[in-house]
Amino acid sequence: MPLVLHGYRYSVYVRIARLALAEKGAAYDRVEVNPFAPDVPAAYLALHPFGRVPTLVHDDFALYETGAITRYLDRSFAGPALQPSAPRALGRMDQIIGVVDSYGYWPLVRQVFSHRVFRPAIGQPADEAEIERGLAGATKVLAALEALAAPDAFLVGPALSLADLHLGALIAFFTATPEGAALLENHPRLAMWWMHLSRRPSFAATDPGLPGP
Ligand SMILES: N[C@@H](CCC(=O)N[C@@H](CS)C(=O)NCC(=O)O)C(=O)O
């Protein structure tokens, strides 16, 4: 049954989906789509009317929105369960994913990582004011997540969940900046969590590296 992930190599959301695929041990093909390009193919826009990435296609079933994709993968494929069954742990997992999407992505990735690391890597100018605004936003997000994180090996308990992959992909990008790495260290629970999570083979296997200029 063909499984294809359409998306941009450097996208944090694509990485979340790839982390879930890696942790499930599911084999898949990738189709490269750059959503920031001026000429996103019409065939891709037919799959994803908002033109974002990723989109998963499983046989004749197409799915976009990363949270839907990772939950679908977890329910459809063998391998360790990535969602707890206890209502409160599941509620916390969904809450953390919501915080990442609603409040975390923009400051951590689009303001701090993009301007400090990604834009310089492709020869585009960085805006220091955007980085400052991103760090202010990230401070609030990390404080909230530090309070939500379980006093356990993973964010919602003793087992890896989709919340770890969703936040982990963001933190991987954010801590590639000196400011982000320093800010994370002010949050002991998250810093310890990240130290262990970042060593998982799934993170090495999905590291996109950086583009050349
Ligand atoms: N809500 C979407 C967000 C996906 C998203 O924003 N992806 C970024 C790349 S990390 C994108 O496609 N950006 C293109 C744009 O902003 O035009 C999801 O969960 O999949």
Side-chain angles (χ1 to χ4, degrees):
M1 296 210 291
L3 185 65
V4 182
L5 187 70
H6 298 249
Y8 183 44
R9 177 184 177 88
Y10 302 107
S11 155
V12 69
Y13 279 103
V14 169
R15 189 163 187 196
I16 294 168
R18 293 188 65 206
L19 284 165
L21 285 157
E23 292 288 349
K24 295 302 278 187
Y28 63 102
D29 292 317
R30 288 179 57 203
V31 173
E32 188 68 15
V33 179
N34 180 352
F36 301 103
D39 54 351
V40 177
Y44 184 72
L45 295 174
L47 289 175
H48 195 319
F50 301 101
R52 302 270 179 123
V53 293
T55 297
L56 183 79
V57 180
H58 190 197
D59 293 328
D60 57 352
F61 180 63
L63 194 62
Y64 61 83
E65 287 304 302
T66 305
I69 290 171
T70 56
R71 288 174 178 94
Y72 173 79
L73 290 169
D74 187 38
R75 292 172 188 133
S76 305
F77 290 87
L82 298 176
Q83 298 174 86
S85 50
R88 290 186 182 186
L90 191 56
R92 191 67 85 209
M93 184 198 88
D94 286 336
Q95 181 186 23
I96 290 172
I97 291 172
V99 169
V100 166
D101 289 344
S102 300
Y103 314 114
Y105 169 64
W106 197 264
L108 274 74
V109 177
R110 295 295 290 272
Q111 290 182 303
V112 177
F113 172 76
S114 288
H115 284 269
R116 177 60 76 227
V117 173
F118 193 80
R119 282 167 167 259
I122 57 172
Q124 285 186 6
D127 181 344
E128 293 294 328
E130 278 293 300
I131 295 172
E132 282 309 307
R133 282 192 287 273
L135 288 169
T139 301
K140 189 168 180 177
V141 170
L142 292 184
L145 291 167
E146 176 80 4
L148 292 176
D152 222 324
F154 295 97
L155 288 176
V156 303
L160 181 78
S161 82
L162 296 178
D164 299 293
L165 306 181
H166 223 89
L167 181 59
L170 256 78
I171 296 295
F173 282 60
F174 186 62
T175 54
T177 72
E179 296 93 334
L183 197 56
L184 188 75
E185 287 307 313
N186 296 340
H187 302 81
R189 205 169 271 182
L190 291 177
M192 181 71 76
W193 159 83
W194 176 240
M195 192 180 78
H196 292 295
L197 190 77
S198 59
R199 294 178 182 153
R200 293 182 78 83
S202 61
F203 277 84
T206 59
D207 184 351
L210 278 176

